[in-house]
Amino acid sequence: METQDLQTIEYDYLVVIHPDAQVEHDVTHYKAIIAQELGAPGKAFSPVYIPLFRSSFPSKYESDFIDVLTRLSGEQGAFTVYTSRIDHVNAGSDKHNIYVNVANPRPVAALHKSILSAFELEEQGYQPHITLARGLSSDAFDRVQKQLNNRLFVRSFYCHSFLLLRKPLGSSDAYEAVHEFCFGKDDPHDGPLYYHAA
C-alpha cells in the first residue's frame, strides 16, 4: 500500500485514563460477573479505562494531534482517582449502562475540559466513569442490577498519564495503543490514600 493511501486511512481515536493493574483486575472481575449472568463471557475482557475524548480523522493528522496532547500533558499535574460504588444510568428508552463511578470527578473533568479547549471544542455533559456494561436491554439489566446496583467499589489509583488509542473507523477490532502522555508535573509522593477496601 502506498504512503499516500496509509495517510488517508481514517481512524477512531480515543484518549483514556488507564487505571493501575489492581483496579483493572477488580473491574474485570465485575465485568465477568455481568458477562456470566448474561451468557456472554467474551465481554468480560473488554478494556478497562476512563474515557476522556473521542474523535475520528485521517491518520495524516495523527502527529499534529499527538503534538497538541504532548504540550497539554506537559502542563498537567498528577492526581489520585477515587471510586466508591457501582451505579447505572438509563441510556435510552430500553438501554442501560452499568459503570464504576469516579468519586472525585473534578480532576478528571478538568483534564477532559483541557483537552476540549486544546482543540477549541465546546464542553459537553461529561461524567467520569469506568464502564462495566453498555447498552443493556431492560431485561438484561434486570438480571444483573440486583447483584451490582450501588455495590461498594472503594478503590484508588495514581494518575500520572493518559493514553491515545486508535482503531480503523467502523472496525470491530480492539483499540491499539498509539502513545502514552506522561504528566509534566508528577509528584510521586502524592499517591492514593487507599488502594482498595470492601
Side-chain angles (χ1 to χ4, degrees), residues 15-128:
V15 180
V16 303
I17 291 172
H18 192 275
D20 66 18
Q22 182 64 56
V23 172
E24 181 177 23
H25 174 271
D26 294 346
V27 169
T28 300
H29 169 73
Y30 281 101
K31 283 176 173 274
I33 290 173
I34 294 169
Q36 183 174 357
E37 183 65 35
L38 299 180
K43 293 193 174 183
F45 303 104
S46 58
V48 176
Y49 55 71
I50 300 172
L52 287 169
F53 179 75
R54 187 175 181 182
S55 186
S56 60
F57 48 84
S59 59
K60 65 183 177 180
Y61 300 116
E62 184 178 292
S63 61
D64 294 333
F65 190 65
I66 289 173
D67 287 346
V68 171
L69 292 177
T70 299
R71 285 194 297 274
L72 184 150
S73 63
E75 300 167 359
Q76 174 68 42
F79 53 87
T80 299
V81 175
Y82 297 94
T83 65
S84 61
R85 60 187 164 81
I86 295 172
D87 206 344
H88 76 275
V89 64
N90 294 338
S93 59
D94 186 41
K95 296 293 179 187
H96 306 268
N97 297 341
I98 301 175
Y99 62 91
V100 173
N101 79 329
V102 172
N104 62 327
R106 189 171 293 170
V108 181
L111 178 55
H112 167 75
K113 182 178 178 180
S114 295
I115 293 171
L116 291 181
S117 297
F119 294 105
E120 299 179 354
L121 299 171
E122 290 191 17
E123 282 188 75
Q124 305 162 347
Y126 176 69
Q127 179 182 3

